[in-house]
Amino acid sequence: MTAVISTCSLVAVSQPVHAAAEPTYVLDPNLTATDQTNAADIKAAITKAATEYGYTGFTAVIYAPTSAGATWAHSELTKISCPLGPVESMIAGTATADTFFGKCIVFKAVAISYANVSKDTESVAYHEIFHLAQAFRGGLKTMGARFDDMRWMYEGTAEVAGYQPQLTNKKRTQDELIALMRVDAMLTSSSLTQVSNAWIDNSIALVSDANRRTNAMYARSYLAAYYLTTISTKDKVMNDYFVEAGRSGDHVAAFSTTFGMTVSEYDAKFTAWLNAWTAPTTTTSSTTTAPRVAPTVSTKKAATLKSVAVFGKMTVPAGASVTAVVATSSKTICRVIGATVKGIKKGTCRVAITVKIKTGAKTTRTVAVSVAG
């Protein structure tokens, strides 16, 4: 079963903090050697994200993944008047950020990896730091009205920020990420307002597998925020909305002012796009290609699937797997045997070649090769 994640929560505290040259780090003195390694990775990711988003005036508390560590973290946050929930939530969770005053963030010193939703330490750090950036862009003010109806916007934009490094570093394409997130997003038909409220009252209606409700909430929020950037502008979604929410003090009204439509009107557009979206069947771009040498395929000689992929101008990096399916029109011409394709009779053999790299990303293309008699 796909793992359910709960990587963050949003908490508002009492008083704003002034900007600083760099974040202030407070580390649990009882970190083990492994914890220290994880803490160093988390600290590096936080620093990178904070610098990129231009907000460093906060304290980052990193604690050991134990009950004692959570208790210590709670105490440290209390000292700086930045409560981020009870000890129990720190034991169960991974990271929490102060969403409105941007004073602090807390991280458990663990190696973060949620492969089923393509998240790692960097992804979670960027997500959490963007919550602090939301606070900064909103003017470091109190929560304001109707926030619970717009949590999808806060979580969705934080997810957009969290996944951006993977897109920038070409670990995933945008289409791959949409396809991955859509799996969980389609588990619910709830409105964006209902999804937002579900962070408070567990009211979200799931079509199937209620154990994955949290994944569905994050996935639907991410895709809603992403799609909004495609019909508006990224600046409006990632900056202007939060400025307006802070100015007006009403999170729902700020949406209408910023985007010229109500949340319900947008929800209808988003749902139509999400339901209709289909993944591209081919990926055409590659930075490095091998010489186009036709593989030899006959009734007596088989060619490797890798050679067929290279002939089809596909990139096959080290460690990648290559599989193939013969097209219906070619089933009397050739067949796939293990990692090879062999001829049955003279003609043109068309096979759908799939190259899967170590990250799980796949590229599929139909390649035609000649079969000698």
Short mmCIF file of all heavy atoms in Angstrom, two decimals, residues 242-292:
data_model
loop_
_atom_site.label_atom_id
_atom_site.label_comp_id
_atom_site.label_asym_id
_atom_site.label_seq_id
_atom_site.Cartn_x
_atom_site.Cartn_y
_atom_site.Cartn_z
N PHE A 242 -0.71 36.40 -1.50
CA PHE A 242 -0.38 36.48 -0.08
C PHE A 242 -0.27 37.94 0.37
O PHE A 242 -0.65 38.28 1.50
CB PHE A 242 0.90 35.71 0.21
CG PHE A 242 0.79 34.26 -0.16
CD1 PHE A 242 1.40 33.76 -1.30
CD2 PHE A 242 0.02 33.40 0.61
CE1 PHE A 242 1.26 32.44 -1.66
CE2 PHE A 242 -0.13 32.07 0.25
CZ PHE A 242 0.49 31.58 -0.89
N VAL A 243 0.22 38.78 -0.53
CA VAL A 243 0.26 40.21 -0.22
C VAL A 243 -1.16 40.74 -0.01
O VAL A 243 -1.44 41.46 0.95
CB VAL A 243 0.96 40.99 -1.36
CG1 VAL A 243 0.86 42.49 -1.11
CG2 VAL A 243 2.42 40.57 -1.47
N GLU A 244 -2.07 40.36 -0.91
CA GLU A 244 -3.45 40.82 -0.82
C GLU A 244 -4.16 40.23 0.40
O GLU A 244 -4.95 40.92 1.07
CB GLU A 244 -4.21 40.45 -2.09
CG GLU A 244 -5.69 40.82 -2.10
CD GLU A 244 -5.95 42.31 -1.92
OE1 GLU A 244 -5.04 43.13 -2.22
OE2 GLU A 244 -7.06 42.67 -1.46
N ALA A 245 -3.89 38.97 0.72
CA ALA A 245 -4.50 38.35 1.91
C ALA A 245 -4.07 39.08 3.17
O ALA A 245 -4.87 39.31 4.08
CB ALA A 245 -4.11 36.87 1.99
N GLY A 246 -2.79 39.47 3.23
CA GLY A 246 -2.31 40.22 4.38
C GLY A 246 -2.91 41.61 4.43
O GLY A 246 -3.26 42.12 5.49
N ARG A 247 -3.06 42.26 3.26
CA ARG A 247 -3.61 43.61 3.21
C ARG A 247 -5.08 43.64 3.59
O ARG A 247 -5.52 44.47 4.40
CB ARG A 247 -3.45 44.17 1.80
CG ARG A 247 -3.85 45.66 1.66
CD ARG A 247 -4.11 46.03 0.23
NE ARG A 247 -5.30 45.35 -0.29
CZ ARG A 247 -6.56 45.73 0.00
NH1 ARG A 247 -6.78 46.74 0.79
NH2 ARG A 247 -7.57 45.05 -0.51
N SER A 248 -5.86 42.70 3.02
CA SER A 248 -7.31 42.72 3.23
C SER A 248 -7.75 42.03 4.52
O SER A 248 -8.81 42.34 5.07
CB SER A 248 -8.02 42.05 2.05
OG SER A 248 -7.77 40.64 2.04
N GLY A 249 -6.96 41.05 4.97
CA GLY A 249 -7.33 40.31 6.16
C GLY A 249 -8.38 39.25 5.93
O GLY A 249 -8.91 38.67 6.87
N ASP A 250 -8.68 38.95 4.64
CA ASP A 250 -9.67 37.93 4.29
C ASP A 250 -9.10 37.07 3.18
O ASP A 250 -8.94 37.52 2.04
CB ASP A 250 -10.98 38.59 3.85
CG ASP A 250 -12.11 37.59 3.66
OD1 ASP A 250 -11.86 36.52 3.05
OD2 ASP A 250 -13.24 37.87 4.10
N HIS A 251 -8.80 35.81 3.47
CA HIS A 251 -8.12 34.94 2.52
C HIS A 251 -8.98 34.57 1.32
O HIS A 251 -8.46 34.42 0.21
CB HIS A 251 -7.64 33.67 3.24
CG HIS A 251 -6.67 33.95 4.34
ND1 HIS A 251 -5.32 34.07 4.14
CD2 HIS A 251 -6.87 34.17 5.67
CE1 HIS A 251 -4.72 34.34 5.28
NE2 HIS A 251 -5.63 34.41 6.22
N VAL A 252 -10.28 34.43 1.51
CA VAL A 252 -11.17 34.10 0.40
C VAL A 252 -11.36 35.31 -0.51
O VAL A 252 -11.28 35.20 -1.74
CB VAL A 252 -12.53 33.59 0.92
CG1 VAL A 252 -13.50 33.37 -0.24
CG2 VAL A 252 -12.34 32.29 1.71
N ALA A 253 -11.61 36.47 0.07
CA ALA A 253 -11.79 37.69 -0.72
C ALA A 253 -10.52 38.02 -1.49
O ALA A 253 -10.58 38.51 -2.63
CB ALA A 253 -12.18 38.85 0.20
N ALA A 254 -9.36 37.73 -0.89
CA ALA A 254 -8.08 38.01 -1.55
C ALA A 254 -7.95 37.22 -2.84
O ALA A 254 -7.35 37.69 -3.82
CB ALA A 254 -6.92 37.70 -0.62
N PHE A 255 -8.51 36.02 -2.86
CA PHE A 255 -8.45 35.20 -4.08
C PHE A 255 -9.22 35.87 -5.20
O PHE A 255 -8.71 35.99 -6.33
CB PHE A 255 -9.02 33.80 -3.80
CG PHE A 255 -8.86 32.85 -4.95
CD1 PHE A 255 -7.74 32.05 -5.05
CD2 PHE A 255 -9.81 32.78 -5.96
CE1 PHE A 255 -7.56 31.17 -6.12
CE2 PHE A 255 -9.66 31.92 -7.03
CZ PHE A 255 -8.53 31.11 -7.12
N SER A 256 -10.44 36.31 -4.93
CA SER A 256 -11.26 36.96 -5.96
C SER A 256 -10.60 38.23 -6.45
O SER A 256 -10.59 38.52 -7.66
CB SER A 256 -12.66 37.26 -5.40
OG SER A 256 -13.33 36.08 -5.04
N THR A 257 -10.03 39.01 -5.54
CA THR A 257 -9.36 40.25 -5.92
C THR A 257 -8.14 40.00 -6.80
O THR A 257 -7.91 40.68 -7.80
CB THR A 257 -8.93 41.03 -4.66
OG1 THR A 257 -10.08 41.33 -3.87
CG2 THR A 257 -8.25 42.33 -5.04
N THR A 258 -7.37 38.98 -6.44
CA THR A 258 -6.13 38.70 -7.16
C THR A 258 -6.38 38.08 -8.53
O THR A 258 -5.71 38.42 -9.51
CB THR A 258 -5.23 37.77 -6.34
OG1 THR A 258 -4.99 38.34 -5.06
CG2 THR A 258 -3.89 37.52 -7.04
N PHE A 259 -7.35 37.16 -8.61
CA PHE A 259 -7.52 36.38 -9.84
C PHE A 259 -8.78 36.70 -10.63
O PHE A 259 -8.98 36.14 -11.72
CB PHE A 259 -7.48 34.89 -9.51
CG PHE A 259 -6.20 34.48 -8.83
CD1 PHE A 259 -6.19 34.18 -7.47
CD2 PHE A 259 -5.01 34.42 -9.52
CE1 PHE A 259 -5.01 33.82 -6.82
CE2 PHE A 259 -3.82 34.08 -8.89
CZ PHE A 259 -3.83 33.78 -7.54
N GLY A 260 -9.63 37.59 -10.11
CA GLY A 260 -10.81 38.00 -10.86
C GLY A 260 -11.88 36.94 -10.99
O GLY A 260 -12.68 36.97 -11.94
N MET A 261 -11.91 35.98 -10.09
CA MET A 261 -12.95 34.94 -10.07
C MET A 261 -13.04 34.40 -8.66
O MET A 261 -12.11 34.53 -7.87
CB MET A 261 -12.63 33.82 -11.06
CG MET A 261 -11.28 33.15 -10.84
SD MET A 261 -10.93 31.88 -12.09
CE MET A 261 -9.12 31.87 -12.05
N THR A 262 -14.18 33.79 -8.36
CA THR A 262 -14.35 33.22 -7.03
C THR A 262 -13.63 31.88 -6.95
O THR A 262 -13.27 31.28 -7.98
CB THR A 262 -15.84 33.00 -6.71
OG1 THR A 262 -16.36 32.00 -7.60
CG2 THR A 262 -16.63 34.30 -6.86
N VAL A 263 -13.46 31.39 -5.74
CA VAL A 263 -12.84 30.08 -5.56
C VAL A 263 -13.70 29.01 -6.23
O VAL A 263 -13.17 28.10 -6.88
CB VAL A 263 -12.66 29.76 -4.06
CG1 VAL A 263 -12.15 28.32 -3.88
CG2 VAL A 263 -11.67 30.73 -3.42
N SER A 264 -15.00 29.10 -6.12
CA SER A 264 -15.90 28.11 -6.74
C SER A 264 -15.77 28.12 -8.25
O SER A 264 -15.77 27.06 -8.89
CB SER A 264 -17.35 28.39 -6.34
OG SER A 264 -17.53 28.20 -4.95
N GLU A 265 -15.68 29.31 -8.83
CA GLU A 265 -15.51 29.40 -10.29
C GLU A 265 -14.20 28.78 -10.73
O GLU A 265 -14.14 28.05 -11.74
CB GLU A 265 -15.59 30.87 -10.72
CG GLU A 265 -16.98 31.46 -10.61
CD GLU A 265 -17.01 32.96 -10.78
OE1 GLU A 265 -15.94 33.61 -10.63
OE2 GLU A 265 -18.09 33.50 -11.06
N TYR A 266 -13.14 29.06 -9.96
CA TYR A 266 -11.86 28.44 -10.30
C TYR A 266 -11.90 26.93 -10.10
O TYR A 266 -11.36 26.18 -10.92
CB TYR A 266 -10.72 29.03 -9.46
CG TYR A 266 -9.45 28.25 -9.67
CD1 TYR A 266 -8.83 28.23 -10.92
CD2 TYR A 266 -8.91 27.45 -8.65
CE1 TYR A 266 -7.70 27.47 -11.15
CE2 TYR A 266 -7.78 26.69 -8.88
CZ TYR A 266 -7.18 26.70 -10.13
OH TYR A 266 -6.08 25.92 -10.37
N ASP A 267 -12.53 26.49 -9.02
CA ASP A 267 -12.60 25.07 -8.73
C ASP A 267 -13.22 24.30 -9.90
O ASP A 267 -12.78 23.19 -10.25
CB ASP A 267 -13.43 24.84 -7.47
CG ASP A 267 -13.14 23.49 -6.81
OD1 ASP A 267 -12.42 22.67 -7.40
OD2 ASP A 267 -13.63 23.26 -5.69
N ALA A 268 -14.25 24.88 -10.52
CA ALA A 268 -14.90 24.22 -11.66
C ALA A 268 -13.92 24.09 -12.83
O ALA A 268 -13.86 23.04 -13.50
CB ALA A 268 -16.14 25.00 -12.09
N LYS A 269 -13.14 25.13 -13.08
CA LYS A 269 -12.14 25.08 -14.17
C LYS A 269 -11.06 24.05 -13.86
O LYS A 269 -10.66 23.27 -14.73
CB LYS A 269 -11.50 26.46 -14.36
CG LYS A 269 -12.44 27.53 -14.89
CD LYS A 269 -11.68 28.85 -15.09
CE LYS A 269 -12.61 29.91 -15.64
NZ LYS A 269 -11.90 31.19 -15.88
N PHE A 270 -10.59 24.08 -12.62
CA PHE A 270 -9.54 23.16 -12.22
C PHE A 270 -10.00 21.71 -12.32
O PHE A 270 -9.28 20.86 -12.85
CB PHE A 270 -9.11 23.47 -10.79
CG PHE A 270 -8.35 22.35 -10.12
CD1 PHE A 270 -7.12 21.95 -10.58
CD2 PHE A 270 -8.91 21.69 -9.01
CE1 PHE A 270 -6.42 20.91 -9.97
CE2 PHE A 270 -8.23 20.66 -8.40
CZ PHE A 270 -6.99 20.27 -8.88
N THR A 271 -11.19 21.42 -11.82
CA THR A 271 -11.71 20.05 -11.84
C THR A 271 -11.86 19.54 -13.26
O THR A 271 -11.54 18.38 -13.56
CB THR A 271 -13.05 19.97 -11.09
OG1 THR A 271 -12.86 20.39 -9.74
CG2 THR A 271 -13.59 18.55 -11.10
N ALA A 272 -12.32 20.39 -14.17
CA ALA A 272 -12.46 20.00 -15.57
C ALA A 272 -11.10 19.67 -16.17
O ALA A 272 -10.94 18.68 -16.90
CB ALA A 272 -13.14 21.12 -16.36
N TRP A 273 -10.10 20.49 -15.86
CA TRP A 273 -8.74 20.23 -16.37
C TRP A 273 -8.18 18.93 -15.79
O TRP A 273 -7.63 18.11 -16.52
CB TRP A 273 -7.83 21.40 -15.99
CG TRP A 273 -6.36 21.10 -16.21
CD1 TRP A 273 -5.70 21.13 -17.40
CD2 TRP A 273 -5.41 20.70 -15.22
NE1 TRP A 273 -4.37 20.78 -17.20
CE2 TRP A 273 -4.17 20.51 -15.88
CE3 TRP A 273 -5.48 20.49 -13.84
CZ2 TRP A 273 -3.02 20.12 -15.20
CZ3 TRP A 273 -4.33 20.11 -13.17
CH2 TRP A 273 -3.11 19.92 -13.85
N LEU A 274 -8.35 18.75 -14.48
CA LEU A 274 -7.80 17.57 -13.82
C LEU A 274 -8.43 16.29 -14.37
O LEU A 274 -7.73 15.31 -14.63
CB LEU A 274 -8.04 17.66 -12.32
CG LEU A 274 -7.48 16.50 -11.46
CD1 LEU A 274 -5.97 16.46 -11.56
CD2 LEU A 274 -7.91 16.67 -10.01
N ASN A 275 -9.73 16.29 -14.56
CA ASN A 275 -10.42 15.10 -15.06
C ASN A 275 -10.04 14.78 -16.49
O ASN A 275 -10.01 13.61 -16.89
CB ASN A 275 -11.94 15.29 -14.95
CG ASN A 275 -12.43 15.29 -13.52
OD1 ASN A 275 -11.74 14.82 -12.62
ND2 ASN A 275 -13.61 15.84 -13.29
N ALA A 276 -9.75 15.82 -17.28
CA ALA A 276 -9.47 15.61 -18.70
C ALA A 276 -8.00 15.36 -19.00
O ALA A 276 -7.66 14.87 -20.08
CB ALA A 276 -9.94 16.82 -19.50
N TRP A 277 -7.11 15.64 -18.04
CA TRP A 277 -5.67 15.56 -18.30
C TRP A 277 -5.24 14.13 -18.60
O TRP A 277 -5.65 13.18 -17.93
CB TRP A 277 -4.88 16.08 -17.09
CG TRP A 277 -3.42 16.25 -17.37
CD1 TRP A 277 -2.80 17.33 -17.90
CD2 TRP A 277 -2.39 15.27 -17.14
NE1 TRP A 277 -1.45 17.11 -18.00
CE2 TRP A 277 -1.16 15.86 -17.56
CE3 TRP A 277 -2.39 13.99 -16.63
CZ2 TRP A 277 0.04 15.19 -17.46
CZ3 TRP A 277 -1.18 13.31 -16.54
CH2 TRP A 277 0.02 13.91 -16.95
N THR A 278 -4.42 13.97 -19.61
CA THR A 278 -3.83 12.67 -19.94
C THR A 278 -2.33 12.83 -20.10
O THR A 278 -1.85 13.86 -20.59
CB THR A 278 -4.41 12.08 -21.23
OG1 THR A 278 -4.23 13.02 -22.30
CG2 THR A 278 -5.90 11.78 -21.07
N ALA A 279 -1.60 11.83 -19.71
CA ALA A 279 -0.14 11.88 -19.78
C ALA A 279 0.33 11.72 -21.22
O ALA A 279 -0.22 10.90 -21.96
CB ALA A 279 0.47 10.79 -18.92
N PRO A 280 1.32 12.49 -21.64
CA PRO A 280 1.90 12.30 -22.98
C PRO A 280 2.46 10.89 -23.12
O PRO A 280 2.97 10.32 -22.16
CB PRO A 280 3.03 13.35 -23.03
CG PRO A 280 2.65 14.37 -22.00
CD PRO A 280 1.96 13.60 -20.91
N THR A 281 2.34 10.32 -24.31
CA THR A 281 2.81 8.95 -24.51
C THR A 281 4.27 8.89 -24.92
O THR A 281 4.88 7.84 -24.86
CB THR A 281 1.98 8.26 -25.60
OG1 THR A 281 2.02 9.05 -26.80
CG2 THR A 281 0.53 8.14 -25.16
N THR A 282 4.84 10.02 -25.33
CA THR A 282 6.24 10.02 -25.74
C THR A 282 6.95 11.22 -25.16
O THR A 282 6.34 12.25 -24.87
CB THR A 282 6.39 10.07 -27.28
OG1 THR A 282 5.78 11.26 -27.77
CG2 THR A 282 5.74 8.86 -27.91
N THR A 283 8.24 11.08 -25.00
CA THR A 283 9.10 12.18 -24.61
C THR A 283 10.20 12.28 -25.66
O THR A 283 10.92 11.32 -25.91
CB THR A 283 9.73 11.94 -23.23
OG1 THR A 283 8.68 11.76 -22.28
CG2 THR A 283 10.60 13.10 -22.82
N THR A 284 10.33 13.46 -26.28
CA THR A 284 11.19 13.55 -27.45
C THR A 284 12.56 14.16 -27.18
O THR A 284 13.45 14.01 -27.99
CB THR A 284 10.50 14.40 -28.54
OG1 THR A 284 10.22 15.70 -28.01
CG2 THR A 284 9.21 13.74 -28.98
N SER A 285 12.72 14.86 -26.07
CA SER A 285 13.98 15.57 -25.88
C SER A 285 15.02 14.72 -25.16
O SER A 285 14.70 13.96 -24.26
CB SER A 285 13.74 16.86 -25.09
OG SER A 285 13.26 16.55 -23.82
N SER A 286 16.26 14.86 -25.57
CA SER A 286 17.38 14.24 -24.86
C SER A 286 18.62 15.05 -25.15
O SER A 286 18.77 15.62 -26.22
CB SER A 286 17.58 12.78 -25.31
OG SER A 286 17.86 12.73 -26.69
N THR A 287 19.51 15.12 -24.20
CA THR A 287 20.69 15.96 -24.36
C THR A 287 21.82 15.23 -25.09
O THR A 287 22.64 15.86 -25.72
CB THR A 287 21.19 16.41 -22.99
OG1 THR A 287 21.43 15.26 -22.17
CG2 THR A 287 20.15 17.28 -22.30
N THR A 288 21.85 13.91 -24.99
CA THR A 288 22.92 13.14 -25.62
C THR A 288 22.33 11.94 -26.34
O THR A 288 21.57 11.18 -25.75
CB THR A 288 23.94 12.64 -24.58
OG1 THR A 288 24.43 13.76 -23.84
CG2 THR A 288 25.08 11.92 -25.26
N THR A 289 22.68 11.75 -27.61
CA THR A 289 22.19 10.60 -28.35
C THR A 289 23.34 9.86 -29.00
O THR A 289 24.35 10.45 -29.39
CB THR A 289 21.20 11.03 -29.46
OG1 THR A 289 21.84 11.99 -30.30
CG2 THR A 289 19.94 11.66 -28.86
N ALA A 290 23.21 8.57 -29.10
CA ALA A 290 24.25 7.74 -29.73
C ALA A 290 24.05 7.76 -31.25
O ALA A 290 22.97 8.12 -31.74
CB ALA A 290 24.14 6.32 -29.21
N PRO A 291 25.07 7.39 -32.02
CA PRO A 291 24.91 7.32 -33.48
C PRO A 291 23.74 6.41 -33.85
O PRO A 291 23.50 5.39 -33.22
CB PRO A 291 26.25 6.73 -33.93
CG PRO A 291 27.21 7.08 -32.85
CD PRO A 291 26.42 7.03 -31.58
N ARG A 292 23.03 6.80 -34.90
CA ARG A 292 21.85 6.06 -35.32
C ARG A 292 22.26 4.88 -36.20
O ARG A 292 22.33 4.97 -37.42
CB ARG A 292 20.90 7.00 -36.06
CG ARG A 292 19.53 6.42 -36.37
CD ARG A 292 18.67 7.49 -37.02
NE ARG A 292 17.47 6.96 -37.60
CZ ARG A 292 16.34 6.75 -36.93
NH1 ARG A 292 16.30 7.02 -35.64
NH2 ARG A 292 15.27 6.28 -37.53
#
